[in-house]
Structures are given as C-alpha cells and as structure tokens.
Amino acid sequence: MLGPVAQKYGITYPLLADEDSRVIRELGLLNEDANPSVFGIPHPGTFILDPDGTVRSKQFYSSYRERDTGTGVLSHLLGIDRDRKSTRLNPSTSP
C-alpha cells in the first residue's frame, strides 16, 4: 500500500502503515479527541532515535496544527537552541 507513495516521493526509508491504529495505541499517541470522521489519527510528534534505534528524545502536541519544524529538530539535536521549535499550521492550507 505504501510502496507507490514511497516511490512517487522518493522515500527510501521504511514506512509504517498502521491501518487499525494498533501501534499508535501501544505508544499512547491515539488522539481520542479527534473528530469521528478522522478517528484513529495520532497526536503529531517526533521521536529522535540513536543509531541503535533507542528513543533519545520525543516531543508531541495536542493539536494537528502544531508540529516540529526540521530546523527546530536539528537545532535541538545540535544543542544550538535548548527549546524545541514548532510551527503552527495555517488551518486554511493544512490537510
């Protein structure tokens, strides 16, 4: 199912299809407050893994409109900025 998406966008890392929301439930990320029409979606967030796959940092938000930026994640990892940056998405342009 995700193969065509990965090929279309040039994604070379493994993608997770969590059709029954089992993984996000196990991780405690299921957004229980989501509109019933989109039930099964997680809270937006980021896991930072080390080369061995151990979670070293994580950040999650209650609203889909707020997400980590690439710049914010990198500055956090590099210790440039102690506070993780996030961006509030414009509701008129967000999915």
Side-chain angles (χ1 to χ4, degrees):
M1 174 178 155
L2 294 175
V5 172
Q7 188 173 22
K8 178 179 178 179
Y9 293 102
I11 299 170
T12 59
Y13 49 84
L15 297 174
L16 171 68
D18 191 16
E19 294 179 21
D20 61 357
S21 304
R22 183 181 62 82
V23 174
I24 62 173
R25 287 175 197 276
E26 288 178 13
L27 294 172
L29 301 175
L30 180 66
N31 185 345
E32 303 271 353
D33 300 321
N35 181 314
S37 68
V38 293
F39 185 78
I41 63 170
H43 290 283
T46 305
F47 285 107
I48 304 299
L49 304 155
D50 68 14
D52 296 322
T54 302
V55 175
R56 295 298 177 183
S57 176
K58 57 187 175 180
Q59 178 74 35
F60 290 89
Y61 302 98
S62 59
S63 172
Y64 75 92
R65 289 185 172 101
E66 190 171 359
R67 314 233 177 153
D68 283 322
T69 64
T71 301
V73 171
L74 288 173
S75 65
H76 173 75
L77 290 173
L78 297 172
I80 296 169
D81 186 0
R82 298 266 185 240
D83 297 322
R84 179 78 62 89
K85 300 292 184 202
S86 65
T87 295
R88 195 133 178 94
L89 301 177
N90 181 341
S92 65
T93 60
S94 61

